[in-house]
């Protein structure tokens, strides 16, 4: 999409931002400095430059910021472009420990920006999804067990219908609305005893299946709202490795038994990128499909300054 429009959408977006602040719709916990307010205008300037950039937004928590998944996906997509697009731009609203509902209210956490390279973090979901350029793809990730349990699943469906869908359909006036990619997560490596999911020794399988079911419900809700949806089945990929190669599956987790290592994030990033590349809307941009490099990108810092995965392990996990 070559973006030829200029001033009016930018003015409208700034006006909307002012209204939201005056009514208190941006909550205090994010505590972004004033300089962060310039991010939206910087992205607006980007979309006025010559050349078509594929624009991808991320909403989620630590499962998304671990190992800088947004920029990992950016690199995977950019390295596979063969069509008219010249680059891939990303933006994010991320806050550790949050759900789609609570991040809507609380917004991003400033300290989490350093985990994605110190840039491209928006203060709120509203600011992100109201960006004047619009988005081609929006990746959504709920709490790590949220879609699996009835009450939290109902909460997720409610916030999607009330808040996310209207903004996604509007897409800052840019047509068409974005492709929504649901980042389907996985069960924990060790059971969490306070989760009511039956037998503890089967919790990984049960939680992974319940998450798949929950994200399926989210997909149905978003489609009813008139949006195109793809699911990135990271949880299913974890399950396949669990069954096929338990030693490699063990390496997908950090020591807390839930967050992904860099190896796990690379697997997740490959599934997120594949969901974009293989969607009919974007196939012309990726004529040769997804080109996966079996080496960790030097510009991405693994979470906690851990060592990057070996080329051999990347080959095995893919």
């Amino acid at each position: 999409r070559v973006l030829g429009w200029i001033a009016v959408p930018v003015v409208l977006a700034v006006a909307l931002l002012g209204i939201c602040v005056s009514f208190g719709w941006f909550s205090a916990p994010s505590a972004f400095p004033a300089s962060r307010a310039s991010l939206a205008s910087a992205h607006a300037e980007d979309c006025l430059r010559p050349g078509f950039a594929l624009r991808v937004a991320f909403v989620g928590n630590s499962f998304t910021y671990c190992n800088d998944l947004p920029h990992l996906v950016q690199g995977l997509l950019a390295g596979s472009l063969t069509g008219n697009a010249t680059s891939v731009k990303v933006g994010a609203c991320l806050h550790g420990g949050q759900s789609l509902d609570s991040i809507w209210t609380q917004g991003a956490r400033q300290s989490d920006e350093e985990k994605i390279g110190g840039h491209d973090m928006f203060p709120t979901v509203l600011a992100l999804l109201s960006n004047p350029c619009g988005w081609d793809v929006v990746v959504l990730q709920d709490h790590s067990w949220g879609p699996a349990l009835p009450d939290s699943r109902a909460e997720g469906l409610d916030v999607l219908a009330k808040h996310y869908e209207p903004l996604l359909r509007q897409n800052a006036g840019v047509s068409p609305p974005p492709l929504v990619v649901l980042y389907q997560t996985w069960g924990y490596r060790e059971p969490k005893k306070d989760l009511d999911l039956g037998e503890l020794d089967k919790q990984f399988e049960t939680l992974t299946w319940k998450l798949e079911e929950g994200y399926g419900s989210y997909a149905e809700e978003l489609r009813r709202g008139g949006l195109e949806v793809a699911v990135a089945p990271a949880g299913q990929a974890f399950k396949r490795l669990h069954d096929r190669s338990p030693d490699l599956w063990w390496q997908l987790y950090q020591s807390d038994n839930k967050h992904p290592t860099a190896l796990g994030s690379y697997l997740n990033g490959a599934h997120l990128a594949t969901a974009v590349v293989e969607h009919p809307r974007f196939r012309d941009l990726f004529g040769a499909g997804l080109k996966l490099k079996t080496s960790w990108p030097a510009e991405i810092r693994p979470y906690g300054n851990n060592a990057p995965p070996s080329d051999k392990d990347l080959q095995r996990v893919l």
Side-chain angles (χ1 to χ4, degrees), residues 215-267:
Y215 277 105
S217 297
Y218 289 4
E220 291 174 7
E221 168 58 40
L222 291 162
R223 290 183 182 118
R224 282 195 297 269
L227 297 162
E228 289 188 83
V229 183
V231 177
Q236 294 174 33
F238 271 53
K239 176 64 166 59
R240 282 193 297 272
L241 283 176
H242 171 273
D243 297 343
R244 185 188 77 199
S245 183
D247 65 319
L248 193 57
W249 169 75
W250 193 265
Q251 296 178 50
L252 301 178
Y253 294 85
Q254 294 186 37
S255 59
D256 66 1
N257 295 309
K258 58 183 180 179
H259 285 95
T261 58
L263 184 65
S265 289
Y266 199 86
L267 177 63

Side-chain angles (χ1 to χ4, degrees), residues 179-242:
L179 169 69
V180 180
V181 176
L182 296 174
Y183 174 19
Q184 177 207 93
T185 54
W186 50 88
Y188 302 151
R189 187 171 62 182
E190 296 289 341
K192 185 175 172 60
K193 294 181 179 180
D194 56 351
L195 282 181
D196 185 15
L197 289 170
E199 298 176 53
L200 288 179
D201 62 346
K202 297 291 184 182
Q203 191 183 95
F204 167 76
E205 294 91 334
T206 304
L207 181 52
T208 300
W209 171 67
K210 288 287 188 181
L211 286 166
E212 179 182 351
E213 183 183 74
Y215 277 105
S217 297
Y218 289 4
E220 291 174 7
E221 168 58 40
L222 291 162
R223 290 183 182 118
R224 282 195 297 269
L227 297 162
E228 289 188 83
V229 183
V231 177
Q236 294 174 33
F238 271 53
K239 176 64 166 59
R240 282 193 297 272
L241 283 176
H242 171 273

Side-chain angles (χ1 to χ4, degrees), residues 8-9 48 51 91 134 167 183 230 299:
V8 173
L48 300 178
L167 273 180
Y183 174 19
E299 66 275 12

